[in-house]
Amino acid sequence: MNTPKISMQFTEQPAKVEPALRLFATLSLDLFCIWGNDGYLQPLNSAWETVLGWSESELRSQPGLEWIHTDDMDATRRAVQQCTQAAIIEYESRFRHKDGSYRWLSWRLLRNEIGVLHAVAKDVTAVKQSETLLQERVALLGESERRFRAVFNQTFQLSSLLTLEGQVLEDNQTAMEFCQLERSQVIGRPFWELPCWTISPETQNRLKKAIAQAAAGNTVRYETDVLTPANTVITIDFSLKPLRDETGEIELLLAEGRDLTERKLVEQKLQHAVDELREWKNRYDAAGQINGLLLYEWNQETGELIWGPNSEQVLGYSQSELNGGITQWWDFIHPEDRENTQQELDRIEVTKEPLHLKYRLQRKDGTFITVEDKGQPYPNRDGFLTRMVGFMVDISEYQSALCDRTQAEAALQQALVELETRVYQRTQELQQANEQLRAEIAEHQQTEAALRNSEEQFRRVFDEAPIGMTLAGLNDRYMRVNRAFHTMLGYTQSEVMALTFRDITHPDELALEIPYMERVISGEIDSFQLEKRYIKKNREILWVNLTLIPLRGQAGEVLYTLAMIEDITERKRALEALCHSEARYRAIIEDQTELICRFKPNGTLTFVNDAYCRYFNKQRSELIGHGFMLVIPEEDQEIVSQSISFLSVEQPIVTYEHRIILPDGEIRWQQWTDRAMFNEVDHIIELQAVGRDITPLKQAEAEIRKALERERELSELRSSFVSLVSHEFRTPLTTILSSSELLERYNHRFSEEKKQTHHQRIQIAVTRMTQLLDDVLTIGKAEAGKLQFNPAPMDLVAFCQEIIESMQIGASQEHRFNFTICGDCTDAQMDEHLLRHVLTNLLSNAVKYSPQGGEVKFDLMCDRESMVFRIQDSGIGIPPEDLDHLFNSFQRARNVGSIQGTGLGLAIVKKCVDLHGGQITVESEMAVGTTFTVTLPLHQADL
């Protein structure tokens, strides 16, 4: 290995290891070793080969640092350098395994009296891996639980999870609100015993049979009546579905219910409407018998037009002959009146106002009558006209008389104007005749040349045009077709020339195109344009956009027809797909339980689905055209505005959460996902949003966070306890082992004073272990609420003096105690055992955390009702950031360094003070000192 060498100082150790120590090391599961001054590992126990796979000879063949991960070199060097006789050093590093991987080892280092460096390590690789795996599983479990709760609780239908025997395992929020029961009143009960199913024994028995069928693997669905908490009866659409696990076995049953009460009411209203419709029909038939009055009803969605019984009297047609719908009515209208009629229809389509129009209709005998038409339009819920009901009155005689008079006056005025105009024109014509004759000769020559040039250009444009072009005679035969036309049909040019337009036109289109051809030939129109279908050579349908214009002779007669044909098959398919997509989109949108809307960049709503209306309990007309920001609290409106401002062409989607205020004042949480739609210059023109109510999710997240926090605190407590026991017990045990070994091995070489020192170290270690066990038991009792409080009369002054004397014996000569008394403290009633914990821990901390020595002030103050202990040191102080957690178990300040402690003392003090009904406060300044003040009631009987 090319591991960098690190300079480390090791002290020479005895060359010989006692047999008893080697036997103890062999039995241990931990890794024991001694470091040589040359950096090599000396005696190793068998645990090294068990944990790392290397034999002892292999491990001792090269310096110990060669086996350590390079990232852990600095930590190892610092640990060795910091290791002294007085302090045990703990750290973790990775050691190379024989298979090439690394194992995590937790090290403890200590030098003995003669400077020998002893090391003990424990394999903690599994613990490290378990911690990582536990964190991942907790995260996955939380996410899985969150998703299930979000889906289960946000559905609008009543949902319950049942066992195969019918016991309730879980109810969603909708079901709990419907039953108005607490969760504890539902979970574990048989489903049929819930109050809503107790409407009758028959209902309960049918439910039991349905549960048995579902448990056998069948899906059951039926309508049934249930009781509401208000003791009213509603009808629900009820279903039971078996839920299977990954092996296909039925594990649970899913019960769902949907309220059908509203649908039943709609059915009743519909029947009432049908009855009213029959009544109006009777009135309608009676009105249809009035002479000269023709009733009608027009369905704009289907184009169907229903005529009244007077149709034969007014139009000459029987009702059976008037079956052509709105198209037939349009053909009856005089051509000159169609434009004005269409304008009036377009107007009422927008305004929804009643129709009032006069126009001419052609009777069956070919004559025209003038009718006055009045109709009432009826729009649907979306504002689109779907039908119109009205009547026509024949006003021909009145209109004819009025028209004759008007025409006579107009004709007289026109004759006078034309006479004056013709006289002037004739004079001018005679003067220009000679000049025009000469000009016409020159122009004729130029026209012949231009005509030849124009004909050549026409031929080139005709043949090379990207769209189909045809030139046909009045006999429907093609005289010329270009390449684009016969190619799109799949014919050769000669094959097309042998056909007529009727041969390749879809039969259904002939009835539409031929009337236009007749009007062009008659001069009624100059051209026409329509979409039609051709039949290709392979019998496929070709959709085209046909534009036809006539080519006329000098006398205005039609000689040929020129047609321009554009292939729009792909466009038609795309349009058809778009229509299907739009229909599916609208059906999906309206059936969604999520809230769906569209709005302008300024927040004005342009569309909302039914779920959105139900959520806010408003009609669609109350929402569209209004801004949605008004229902969002002011402090959350900035979230929405900023989220929308982040949208761009590169990032057109954004998701955010905010609160809303419902009409009843309830505040709920929503999650929205917005998609921006841009115009050709990348400006947002509209946004589409999908939202859902996440209030239960937010509540569940809060509960999960609390549970995780409690679990984290418990885990930290367990970890701290294990670390404490491992650390604090091992240290005195090591001290005892080390001192006893030294006494055993070097007893003949040590002086009596040295021997006494080692005996004192052993006694101190034993005392420390005893104190640690006492602290752990005390804090354990306190946490479990089993710490006894037994107040009794006592002399506080004598008690405090006794504790100070015992503390002074154990303290160094550099520490001095200054005990002052204020007031009468001889008559008190307290728990002496708990009070000893308080004073002993506070005074020992004052000595321990004043390593340089100094004065420890102990003030005792009493009045008639309470007493105050104030203990002040001049030690290292406590960092401000540690003060809030100072009284927590296993909590130590970050500046304690190598000063030994368990982190339990102040926690025990706080528990004892609380049992006395007192208070404890702390004031501290870094490098100046710390003051603890304890206030307790003087007479506990008054508590």
Side-chain angles (χ1 to χ4, degrees):
M1 295 177 59
N2 295 323
T3 307
K5 304 299 182 181
I6 300 177
S7 177
M8 301 175 61
Q9 297 298 324
F10 296 91
T11 305
E12 186 66 36
Q13 78 286 350
K16 186 177 180 182
V17 179
E18 295 295 335
L21 178 61
R22 177 171 293 277
L23 179 60
F24 176 71
T26 301
L27 295 175
S28 175
L29 298 178
D30 293 343
L31 286 68
F32 284 80
C33 71
I34 298 176
W35 290 79
N37 65 337
D38 55 358
Y40 282 80
L41 301 173
Q42 294 300 331
L44 304 174
N45 65 340
S46 59
W48 283 82
E49 185 171 0
T50 302
V51 174
L52 298 174
W54 303 100
S55 66
E56 182 176 359
S57 60
E58 289 174 324
L59 290 168
R60 297 177 62 176
S61 65
Q62 51 186 322
L65 292 177
E66 295 290 337
W67 307 100
I68 297 176
H69 196 286
T70 54
D71 293 345
D72 300 333
M73 288 291 190
D74 290 341
T76 303
R77 180 178 59 187
R78 288 193 299 271
V80 173
Q81 292 174 350
Q82 294 173 3
C83 184
T84 64
Q85 180 182 350
I88 294 177
I89 302 301
E90 296 185 0
Y91 74 101
E92 294 180 347
S93 66
R94 286 162 287 183
F95 223 82
R96 181 159 51 89
H97 192 277
K98 192 169 185 178
D99 62 7
S101 63
Y102 282 88
R103 297 291 190 270
W104 276 99
L105 300 180
S106 176
W107 290 91
R108 292 171 58 81
L109 306 179
L110 179 69
R111 294 188 187 276
N112 64 9
E113 290 292 338
I114 60 176
V116 176
L117 182 64
H118 291 75
V120 180
K122 179 183 290 292
D123 183 7
V124 294
T125 306
V127 175
K128 291 282 187 179
Q129 294 172 346
S130 297
E131 290 175 354
T132 303
L133 181 60
L134 179 61
Q135 293 173 357
E136 293 175 354
R137 289 183 176 177
V138 168
L140 290 174
L141 181 61
E143 178 64 16
S144 177
E145 175 71 11
R146 183 189 67 78
R147 291 180 178 176
F148 169 75
R149 291 293 178 185
V151 173
F152 188 67
N153 281 324
Q154 291 183 26
T155 180
F156 289 104
Q157 60 192 15
L158 313 176
S159 298
S160 300
L161 284 177
L162 312 178
T163 66
L164 300 186
E165 294 76 23
Q167 270 73 32
V168 180
L169 293 178
E170 191 66 51
D171 261 5
N172 71 346
Q173 190 63 30
T174 304
M176 299 290 287
E177 291 175 356
F178 173 79
C179 295
Q180 295 185 7
L181 295 175
E182 297 296 331
R183 189 172 183 273
S184 59
Q185 297 174 294
V186 176
I187 304 304
R189 291 181 62 182
F191 194 44
W192 54 84
E193 292 184 2
L194 296 183
C196 57
W197 293 102
T198 59
I199 186 171
S200 68
E202 292 77 10
T203 301
Q204 291 178 306
N205 291 333
R206 186 179 184 185
L207 176 59
K208 292 177 183 178
K209 293 179 180 179
I211 291 174
Q213 292 175 352
N218 302 310
T219 297
V220 183
R221 183 175 181 179
Y222 61 90
E223 292 184 6
T224 183
D225 291 340
V226 295
L227 282 176
T228 68
N231 209 31
T232 59
V233 178
I234 66 169
T235 303
I236 65 170
D237 179 9
F238 178 70
S239 64
L240 274 168
K241 302 175 183 177
L243 301 180
R244 302 179 185 272
D245 59 17
E246 60 275 7
T247 64
E249 294 293 328
I250 300 175
E251 185 177 22
L252 299 172
L253 302 180
L254 176 61
E256 295 179 316
R258 304 163 190 83
D259 188 357
L260 300 180
T261 305
E262 184 175 352
R263 192 186 77 180
K264 295 291 185 180
L265 292 175
V266 171
E267 291 176 352
Q268 294 176 2
K269 292 180 179 179
L270 180 61
Q271 183 60 43
H272 181 67
V274 170
D275 295 339
E276 288 186 347
L277 184 61
R278 290 195 182 98
E279 178 65 22
W280 277 105
K281 184 179 183 303
N282 295 333
R283 298 178 184 178
Y284 174 83
D285 293 340
Q289 302 301 323
I290 300 175
N291 189 29
L293 181 68
L294 180 57
L295 302 176
Y296 66 86
E297 180 180 357
W298 173 24
N299 188 324
Q300 288 185 279
E301 292 182 338
T302 63
E304 182 182 9
L305 187 60
I306 302 174
W307 298 91
N310 276 4
S311 61
E312 190 165 1
Q313 175 193 353
V314 178
L315 297 177
Y317 293 96
S318 65
Q319 285 183 297
S320 60
E321 293 176 302
L322 296 174
N323 56 7
I326 194 65
T327 303
Q328 186 181 31
W329 168 72
W330 186 261
D331 291 338
F332 290 165
I333 299 175
H334 195 285
E336 296 176 357
D337 296 341
R338 290 176 180 172
E339 181 178 358
N340 183 50
T341 302
Q342 185 62 52
Q343 291 177 354
E344 179 66 10
L345 292 177
D346 293 341
R347 182 187 66 81
I348 66 171
E349 179 74 25
V350 176
T351 64
K352 315 299 185 296
E353 295 177 353
L355 171 70
H356 189 188
L357 183 65
K358 296 178 181 179
Y359 54 89
R360 287 166 289 177
L361 284 178
Q362 189 177 29
R363 288 171 50 84
K364 185 175 182 179
D365 58 8
T367 60
F368 283 90
I369 61 172
T370 302
V371 297
E372 183 176 5
D373 188 348
K374 293 185 178 181
Q376 176 62 46
Y378 293 93
N380 61 12
R381 291 186 304 174
D382 296 328
F384 299 106
L385 293 184
T386 57
R387 54 191 289 265
M388 180 184 295
V389 177
F391 63 89
M392 302 176 186
V393 180
D394 184 359
I395 59 170
S396 300
E397 295 182 0
Y398 170 77
Q399 194 70 17
S400 177
L402 183 62
C403 183
D404 291 344
R405 178 178 176 181
T406 303
Q407 289 177 351
E409 292 176 351
L412 180 59
Q413 183 65 30
Q414 182 67 24
L416 294 174
V417 173
E418 289 180 355
L419 180 60
E420 293 177 357
T421 302
R422 288 180 180 178
V423 171
Y424 175 77
Q425 290 178 346
R426 186 59 178 169
T427 302
Q428 295 295 322
E429 289 173 357
L430 291 175
Q431 294 175 353
Q432 297 175 359
N434 291 332
E435 296 179 4
Q436 289 180 352
L437 184 59
R438 290 192 296 269
E440 285 176 359
I441 294 174
E443 184 179 356
H444 181 68
Q445 295 173 346
Q446 295 175 355
T447 301
E448 288 181 351
L451 184 60
R452 287 193 296 271
N453 185 42
S454 176
E455 183 177 355
E456 181 62 29
Q457 291 179 350
F458 172 76
R459 290 180 182 274
R460 186 165 58 251
V461 170
F462 186 92
D463 292 335
E464 298 178 2
I467 63 174
M469 298 188 70
T470 65
L471 186 67
L474 297 184
N475 59 356
D476 299 336
R477 291 283 180 181
Y478 291 114
M479 303 178 63
R480 188 179 186 86
V481 297
N482 70 347
R483 183 186 300 107
F485 181 71
H486 68 73
T487 300
M488 70 174 64
L489 289 171
Y491 290 102
T492 64
Q493 185 175 21
S494 59
E495 289 174 332
V496 173
M497 296 292 289
L499 302 172
T500 68
F501 88 93
R502 297 173 185 267
D503 296 330
I504 60 176
T505 298
H506 193 281
D508 295 343
E509 308 289 359
L510 290 175
L512 177 64
E513 185 176 0
I514 290 177
Y516 281 108
M517 290 288 296
E518 293 174 349
R519 294 175 63 192
V520 167
I521 294 173
S522 66
E524 187 177 327
I525 56 176
D526 294 332
S527 64
F528 68 86
Q529 185 179 48
L530 56 83
E531 294 181 356
K532 62 175 290 186
R533 288 169 289 178
Y534 281 130
I535 301 177
K536 298 170 64 174
K537 184 177 181 180
N538 61 3
R539 311 310 296 173
E540 291 182 358
I541 298 299
L542 176 71
W543 275 97
V544 300
N545 185 13
L546 170 69
T547 302
L548 187 140
I549 58 176
L551 301 181
R552 301 182 184 275
Q554 294 292 334
E557 74 281 10
V558 177
L559 302 177
Y560 315 104
T561 58
L562 176 65
M564 290 165 281
I565 301 98
E566 178 187 3
D567 184 356
I568 61 170
T569 304
E570 292 301 324
R571 189 178 75 188
K572 275 289 187 180
R573 290 173 181 170
L575 182 60
E576 183 178 359
L578 181 61
C579 292
H580 288 310
S581 177
E582 173 68 18
R584 289 194 302 268
Y585 168 79
R586 183 168 295 277
I588 292 172
I589 291 299
E590 292 301 337
D591 290 342
Q592 287 294 316
T593 57
E594 286 82 2
L595 314 182
I596 300 177
C597 68
R598 292 196 299 270
F599 58 91
K600 297 178 181 178
N602 63 0
T604 302
L605 292 168
T606 59
F607 169 80
V608 294
N609 70 341
D610 288 344
Y612 193 103
C613 297
R614 290 193 302 269
Y615 187 88
F616 288 98
N617 196 23
K618 289 188 176 182
Q619 298 295 325
R620 188 175 275 107
S621 59
E622 297 179 84
L623 297 169
I624 294 178
H626 300 278
F628 63 83
M629 281 288 193
L630 296 178
V631 300
I632 301 176
E634 292 184 3
E635 55 270 24
D636 289 4
Q637 291 182 8
E638 185 64 23
I639 298 174
V640 180
S641 301
Q642 287 184 357
S643 299
I644 294 176
S645 67
F646 293 151
L647 292 171
S648 62
V649 176
E650 295 77 16
Q651 186 177 350
I653 300 176
V654 65
T655 299
Y656 53 88
E657 298 175 356
H658 63 79
R659 294 168 296 169
I660 57 98
I661 304 174
L662 293 179
D664 59 3
E666 181 184 2
I667 297 178
R668 298 189 69 82
W669 276 94
Q670 290 183 341
Q671 181 187 73
W672 286 94
T673 299
D674 295 355
R675 175 183 286 274
M677 291 172 276
F678 301 87
N679 59 13
E680 62 277 1
V681 294
D682 296 341
H683 290 164
I684 297 178
I685 57 175
E686 195 174 31
L687 297 97
Q688 179 164 303
V690 179
R692 61 192 182 100
D693 188 304
I694 60 171
T695 305
L697 176 61
K698 283 290 185 180
Q699 296 170 348
E701 287 178 353
E703 292 299 325
I704 291 174
R705 281 196 296 270
K706 291 179 181 178
L708 290 177
E709 181 61 24
R710 290 194 296 269
E711 179 64 23
R712 184 188 64 79
E713 293 175 355
L714 183 59
S715 177
E716 290 178 355
L717 187 63
R718 288 196 297 265
S719 177
S720 299
F721 178 75
V722 172
S723 176
L724 168 68
V725 173
S726 174
H727 179 277
E728 296 301 329
F729 277 16
R730 187 174 295 176
T731 299
L733 284 174
T734 304
T735 301
I736 294 171
L737 178 62
S738 176
S739 295
S740 62
E741 286 179 353
L742 290 173
L743 288 171
E744 183 179 1
R745 293 164 56 190
Y746 304 105
N747 186 54
H748 61 284
R749 294 169 53 183
F750 287 162
S751 64
E752 289 300 323
E753 182 180 358
K754 193 70 172 179
K755 294 177 182 179
Q756 184 64 26
T757 301
H758 283 292
H759 284 300
Q760 288 179 351
R761 289 182 61 190
I762 293 174
Q763 292 172 357
I764 292 172
V766 171
T767 301
R768 184 180 176 189
M769 291 176 61
T770 303
Q771 182 63 38
L772 176 59
L773 286 173
D774 188 35
D775 288 348
V776 170
L777 291 174
T778 301
I779 198 67
K781 289 181 179 179
E783 292 291 345
K786 297 181 179 180
L787 191 60
Q788 298 294 323
F789 174 59
N790 300 309
M794 62 181 297
D795 185 347
L796 281 178
V797 177
F799 178 75
C800 294
Q801 289 174 341
E802 175 194 343
I803 291 180
I804 292 174
E805 290 174 0
S806 64
M807 295 297 299
Q808 187 67 67
I809 294 173
S812 65
Q813 295 180 355
E814 289 80 9
H815 293 90
R816 302 181 307 279
F817 288 92
N818 184 0
F819 180 45
T820 62
I821 305 169
C822 180
D824 182 9
C825 301
T826 59
D827 182 18
Q829 190 174 21
M830 297 184 181
D831 189 316
E832 181 177 336
H833 178 70
L834 299 181
L835 197 57
R836 187 176 300 276
H837 278 300
V838 174
L839 295 180
T840 301
N841 278 291
L842 292 179
L843 290 172
S844 63
N845 283 351
V847 173
K848 181 166 56 176
Y849 296 112
S850 301
Q852 304 301 324
E855 183 181 53
V856 177
K857 294 182 179 181
F858 181 8
D859 298 332
L860 173 59
M861 296 166 285
C862 299
D863 57 23
R864 295 182 59 185
E865 297 180 354
S866 63
M867 51 111 346
V868 176
F869 294 115
R870 183 181 293 117
I871 299 174
Q872 180 179 359
D873 63 49
S874 54
I876 61 176
I878 302 172
E881 55 270 26
D882 291 332
L883 290 175
D884 291 339
H885 309 287
L886 198 60
F887 297 105
N888 294 344
S889 297
F890 309 108
Q891 180 70 35
R892 302 190 71 201
R894 63 195 65 193
N895 62 333
V896 298
S898 61
I899 300 175
Q900 295 182 350
T902 64
L904 292 176
L906 289 179
I908 293 174
V909 169
K910 184 67 168 62
K911 297 293 184 182
C912 293
V913 170
D914 290 344
L915 285 174
H916 277 86
Q919 294 182 343
I920 182 170
T921 60
V922 58
E923 298 177 1
S924 185
E925 185 175 349
M926 295 290 292
V928 175
T930 302
T931 300
F932 283 91
T933 303
V934 177
T935 303
L936 302 177
L938 194 60
H939 301 288
Q940 297 298 322
D942 297 336
L943 291 179

